[in-house]
Amino acid sequence: MVGRGAPREWGVGRIRAGVLPAAGWTMRMDGSSRRDLEDIIGHRFERPELLDQALTHASMTASRLESNERLEFLGDAVLGVVVCEQIYRMYPDLLEGEMTKIKSLVVSRQTCAAIAQELNLERYLVLGKGMKSSAPLPSSLSAAALESVLGAIYLDGGFAAAEKFIKSLVLDLIERAAESGHQENFKSVLQQHAQQMSNHMPVYRILDEQGPDHAKCFKICVEIDGRRFEPCWGQSKKRAEQEAALNALRELGVITEDGDEVRVLPPNGK
């Protein structure tokens, strides 16, 4: 099963109580901080400068080549390879399309940001003055931090070290995504159900929108063969459509929920 909220609800199951430092950002990583972070990620760096670079944002460098952006690029690729191999080995009966859905959720920015936040990588990020504030760090920066650390581990310890770290984070997430039957794509589940039951496609209608152009919220409902289901508000059309589809699935009895966890019922409803 998988939570329908942000994947931050999925525990990575490897952080011991008391290991994480207090919230806040440091301007540089001293030896003690580096060792604390190495304890969290489970890897001792032979080349500690790689870890330092992995946590250095472009706002703190004279050249973007000195920032973590190149390591982020590399880490993203390593993450994809490891996750794809695990899905391939764990689910030999799945076709390419289903494997792709699971992979897309597990390596998504949202999931990477949630893992980074649970590991508290933001605590170690080196940011320019303009980036520091009391507000939460943008999820894109959190996700980039995780990917750049993966890239640093790969360069320092090779593929085996990176694979060990990644597997400790994602195996449970892969299982939950596969078991959910929806990978948080409720629109796809609703479309399949509608086609099987009535051969009518769901239609999404915008009922209202509020807010300035740069931060609009949308109220959207879904209709199937003339039947309108409960509408939902969302901070984007895509999010509102997904929530509206989830409402329709609830009313149609296609899903079961346990707290924040959602599972698609098989055709026999059991």
Side-chain angles (χ1 to χ4, degrees):
M1 290 183 288
V2 62
R4 61 182 173 88
R8 72 173 61 210
E9 301 298 330
W10 303 356
V12 297
R14 66 186 308 275
I15 304 174
R16 300 187 306 278
V19 170
L20 298 182
W25 298 306
T26 181
M27 290 301 294
R28 63 176 177 268
M29 187 183 302
D30 57 24
S32 177
S33 295
R34 187 181 297 110
R35 286 190 295 274
D36 287 344
L37 181 53
E38 288 176 334
D39 287 342
I40 291 171
I41 63 180
H43 178 75
R44 291 292 183 193
F45 277 81
E46 295 292 330
R47 299 164 59 193
E49 66 274 11
L50 285 170
L51 183 58
D52 291 343
Q53 184 175 4
L55 296 164
T56 302
H57 187 261
S59 62
M60 277 296 293
T61 61
S63 168
R64 291 174 63 181
L65 292 174
E66 300 170 0
S67 74
N68 63 359
E69 291 180 357
R70 283 168 52 84
L71 287 172
E72 176 191 353
F73 167 81
L74 179 60
D76 175 67
V78 175
L79 175 63
V81 169
V82 173
V83 170
C84 285
E85 181 180 357
Q86 290 307 306
I87 296 171
Y88 182 88
R89 293 185 182 279
M90 292 167 67
Y91 301 101
D93 296 328
L94 288 185
L95 296 175
E96 177 189 5
E98 292 303 310
M99 291 193 293
T100 298
K101 291 178 183 178
I102 297 171
K103 181 247 187 180
S104 295
L105 180 60
V106 174
V107 304
S108 69
R109 282 285 181 182
Q110 188 179 20
T111 301
C112 288
I115 294 173
Q117 289 159 8
E118 189 161 352
L119 294 174
N120 209 18
L121 292 184
E122 301 101 317
R123 167 66 178 82
Y124 301 94
L125 276 173
V126 180
L127 302 166
K129 291 183 179 180
M131 299 291 296
K132 294 187 296 180
S133 72
S134 59
L137 199 67
S139 60
S140 59
L141 292 187
S142 299
L146 176 67
E147 291 171 345
S148 59
V149 167
L150 292 178
I153 294 173
Y154 172 76
L155 290 180
D156 188 73
F159 183 79
E163 181 183 38
K164 178 182 177 181
F165 177 56
I166 293 169
K167 287 171 67 174
S168 73
L169 300 174
V170 305
L171 289 183
D172 185 51
L173 306 187
I174 292 173
E175 291 178 359
R176 295 187 186 192
E179 290 173 2
S180 73
H182 57 76
Q183 291 80 54
E184 292 197 333
N185 190 345
F186 302 115
K187 288 180 64 178
S188 176
V189 175
L190 181 61
Q191 179 175 317
Q192 293 174 17
H193 177 78
Q195 289 177 322
Q196 292 170 359
M197 301 305 294
S198 66
N199 202 31
H200 285 84
M201 294 289 289
V203 178
Y204 294 86
R205 303 195 185 281
I206 299 176
L207 303 180
D208 194 6
E209 54 184 84
Q210 295 182 8
D213 289 341
H214 68 278
K216 277 190 180 297
C217 290
F218 299 88
K219 183 180 183 181
I220 292 179
C221 75
V222 60
E223 296 179 358
I224 302 176
D225 192 20
R227 178 180 175 182
R228 177 173 290 191
F229 298 88
E230 181 183 354
C232 275
W233 283 94
Q235 293 182 328
S236 68
K237 291 180 181 178
K238 181 178 179 181
R239 185 70 258 169
E241 287 176 351
Q242 288 287 354
E243 292 297 327
L246 180 58
N247 274 347
L249 292 169
R250 286 193 186 104
E251 293 186 43
L252 291 168
V254 178
I255 60 172
T256 181
E257 296 178 270
D258 181 9
D260 284 337
E261 295 183 335
V262 180
R263 171 174 260 167
V264 177
L265 293 171
N268 61 9
K270 298 180 180 179

